[in-house]
Amino acid sequence: MACSCSAPEHKSPAPGFRKALWIALWVNLAMFVVEGVASLSSGSVSLMADAIDFFGDSANYILSLTVLSMGMLWRGRAAMVKGITMTAFGLVVWARAVWVVQAGITPEPLTMGAVGLLALAANVSVAAMLFKFREGDSDMRSVWLCSRNDAISNIAVMVAALGVFGTGTAWPDLIVAAIMGTLAITAGISVMRHARSDIAQARASEAQPVATTASGSR
């Protein structure tokens, strides 16, 4: 017998959210390829971190599209997965920054700045498109936070490029990478907290009709 794990009171996604997710998905996949190649050619940790973030966001958008028509419980679970991956991403960036300090690699600033500007234009467009969905459920909020953090990260990458150009050292790149990692960790924790609340609310709604039925049968 098939059973549903979603809350009985299904909440439909906001109008236009699905289309916005598809657009965001393709923009992020394209920028992952561009920044991935650029990070390898420039040796920039912050650019590499941003490329990985684009890839992670793409995976998260696919996850959101998968559960978009499901109940609040499944959407809360999807948001929990995204919160965990965002936090893990931040930890990986920190680890990479420590490794580069030990290796003594200095990135190429011109590539960093040019690609960072392109990524900023892409992310600002996506963030503006998703802005009206920022106060939705935990899944919608996680999508908005990803886009917001990406735009902030792109500005930081360009600042790092200027710093590397001016100082001739890798420290501006490493500092920005550390900030990006911290942003990912704090945003991930925020999404996980919101997801826990949504999951608890969905389970409570699911249990309420059962309790009402049991009471009525006495």
Side-chain angles (χ1 to χ4, degrees), residues 31 35 38-39 42-54 89 93 107-121 123 149-165 169-181 183:
M31 288 308 305
E35 281 201 319
S39 66
S42 67
S44 168
V45 180
S46 59
L47 206 56
M48 180 212 70
D50 208 31
I52 295 174
D53 193 29
F54 270 119
F89 161 74
V93 171
E108 198 281 301
L110 295 181
T111 301
M112 289 176 60
V115 177
L117 181 60
L118 177 62
L120 176 63
N123 275 320
N149 287 354
D150 287 347
I152 295 173
S153 297
N154 297 145
I155 295 173
V157 168
M158 291 189 293
V159 172
L162 289 174
V164 171
F165 181 80
T169 68
W171 282 109
D173 184 51
L174 295 172
I175 292 172
V176 167
I179 293 172
M180 291 169 67
L183 269 175

Side-chain angles (χ1 to χ4, degrees), residues 1 4 12 19 84 86 117 131 136 144 149 167 183 198 207 216:
M1 181 180 66
S4 172
S12 300
K19 181 179 179 180
I84 293 171
M86 290 167 71
L117 181 60
F131 182 76
W144 155 247
N149 287 354
T167 64
L183 269 175
D198 280 357

Side-chain angles (χ1 to χ4, degrees), residues 179-191:
I179 293 172
M180 291 169 67
T182 302
L183 269 175
I185 292 170
T186 55
I189 292 172
S190 173
V191 169

Side-chain angles (χ1 to χ4, degrees), residues 1-34:
M1 181 180 66
C3 62
S4 172
C5 294
S6 58
E9 295 183 3
H10 175 71
K11 294 184 179 180
S12 300
F17 187 55
R18 185 185 297 277
K19 181 179 179 180
L21 281 181
W22 276 111
I23 296 173
L25 170 61
W26 289 113
V27 169
N28 275 263
L29 283 176
M31 288 308 305
F32 162 66
V33 174
V34 172

Side-chain angles (χ1 to χ4, degrees), residues 116-136:
L117 181 60
L118 177 62
L120 176 63
N123 275 320
V124 167
S125 299
V126 172
M129 179 178 60
L130 296 171
F131 182 76
K132 63 181 179 179
F133 304 112
R134 71 193 185 282
E135 299 298 339

